[in-house]
Amino acid sequence: MLTAEQIRDKLYASAQQFEEAYMRKQYAKAKNIYDTAERVALFVDLPQEDRKKLFMDQSDSDERDAQPIWGAFNQDWVRRAYIECIKRNEGFEVKPYEETYFGQ
């Protein structure tokens, strides 16, 4: 079984895997990596500080123009990967396993 530190390291490594898949325009794979990392972080109750470093830090400022700080996962890229999956009908949520990238 993995330790908390090993899980944290794997989550940070998944951000690099996401970036590599995104750069190769493998949007479905990138989206799946992001979704998996997000679910694992939630499941293992990753500390809030690590979640901010991985995903994003929402500003607590009351300023109207306050900008979030992206974490290891660039949220602009995550959003684009989601949009591209919708355009290409590559979302795994509605497909049987055999029809997904991982089922081939």
Side-chain angles (χ1 to χ4, degrees):
M1 179 134 86
L2 296 175
T3 66
E5 188 65 32
Q6 290 171 321
I7 292 170
R8 182 180 300 117
D9 291 343
K10 283 187 174 271
L11 286 170
Y12 280 99
S14 69
Q16 181 64 35
Q17 293 170 350
F18 168 84
E19 184 176 328
E20 291 167 5
Y22 180 87
M23 296 305 259
R24 289 190 307 264
K25 298 184 182 199
Q26 295 175 328
Y27 299 115
K29 183 175 183 179
K31 178 184 174 298
N32 188 51
I33 291 168
Y34 176 80
D35 288 344
T36 301
E38 196 173 42
R39 289 180 184 122
V40 168
L42 183 63
F43 181 77
V44 300
D45 199 22
L46 195 68
Q48 190 66 28
E49 199 58 39
D50 281 316
R51 286 188 215 179
K52 288 179 181 180
K53 289 178 185 175
L54 273 170
F55 303 109
M56 89 171 138
D57 186 5
Q58 295 269 5
S59 175
D60 293 334
S61 173
D62 290 333
E63 293 179 31
R64 183 175 207 165
D65 297 330
Q67 296 292 317
I69 300 168
W70 292 163
F73 286 97
N74 181 322
Q75 295 300 312
D76 287 332
W77 289 5
V78 170
R79 191 175 308 113
R80 173 122 188 265
Y82 271 72
I83 290 169
E84 289 299 323
C85 285
I86 291 167
K87 286 180 185 177
R88 298 173 183 192
N89 194 26
E90 292 181 345
F92 294 164
E93 294 84 2
V94 296
K95 292 186 175 189
Y97 177 77
E98 294 79 23
E99 295 179 21
T100 66
Y101 172 82
F102 297 101
Q104 295 176 347

